[in-house]
Amino acid sequence: MNSSTMGRLRVCVAAGLAVTGGWMAPAWASDAMATGGLTSQPIGHYDFCKQHPGECSIRPANLAPAVLTDGLMRKLVNVTARVNAAVKPMSDMDIYGKDEVWAYPDKGVGDCEDYVLEKRRQLSRMGISLADLLITVVRKPDGEGHAVLTVRTDGGDYVLDNLTDKVKPWDETGYRFLKRQAIDNTGRWVSIRGGQQVLVGSVQ
């Protein structure tokens, strides 16, 4: 494991959220993850929404998943690699002096959810619907919480992660998926069936 990956891993653990560089088309399409009803919003996202209210009240008109093409995958791979390389891993405590601060990494530093926000912003600017770019909370195999970006496609759900430059089907990541943004409202969250109790702070 290289020093960059180790650095990202340490940041994710410290934050409490906690195919070599590319994508290869699977022999069959990935499945879409099964979601449940509305659930609590992570406290970090709640505070982010207070700072950026316009970003948390969007109701996308088109709720259909993005069409899975080579062009779309190239965008996902390129954005993942670019953001992972551009942002230096650093914990919220080191940056802000407190935990659970979700922010765009405009100063070139950030932790797990900050990578997610930046990838989401860049892909949205490329024309991908916010209904298909969903901030997602997961549990890593070691039990730590983590944040990734789920991209919904008609060929299944794919994950963009700051711990790897690979774009993987969600069910090949080894994570337990807990909750993600609702597709029809950027300020709401839904549970993911089969998930476990969320480790990150939430608001009820």
Side-chain angles (χ1 to χ4, degrees), residues 76-137:
L76 302 186
V77 169
N78 290 341
V79 167
T80 295
R82 181 167 63 244
V83 174
N84 285 356
V87 179
K88 177 183 177 180
M90 188 175 293
S91 71
D92 290 333
M93 187 61 67
D94 289 337
I95 301 170
Y96 305 105
K98 60 181 180 179
D99 287 330
E100 294 300 329
V101 179
W102 293 29
Y104 289 112
D106 292 333
K107 295 182 179 180
V109 295
D111 66 354
C112 306
E113 67 277 358
D114 304 340
Y115 286 86
V116 172
L117 288 168
E118 182 59 27
K119 291 170 186 175
R120 181 173 173 269
R121 176 166 67 175
Q122 291 192 20
L123 290 167
S124 175
R125 288 173 175 173
M126 294 178 181
I128 301 174
S129 171
L130 290 176
D132 301 323
L133 301 172
L134 307 172
I135 307 169
T136 305
V137 172

Side-chain angles (χ1 to χ4, degrees), residues 2 9 16-18 23 27 29-30 33 38 44 66 70 79 81-82 84 104 108 128 133 189 193 196 198 204:
N2 61 38
L9 181 60
L17 256 180
W23 173 77
S30 169
M33 64 182 73
L38 292 176
D70 287 343
V79 167
R82 181 167 63 244
N84 285 356
Y104 289 112
I128 301 174
L133 301 172
W189 287 67
R193 294 176 189 171
Q196 297 186 357
V198 180
Q204 299 301 321

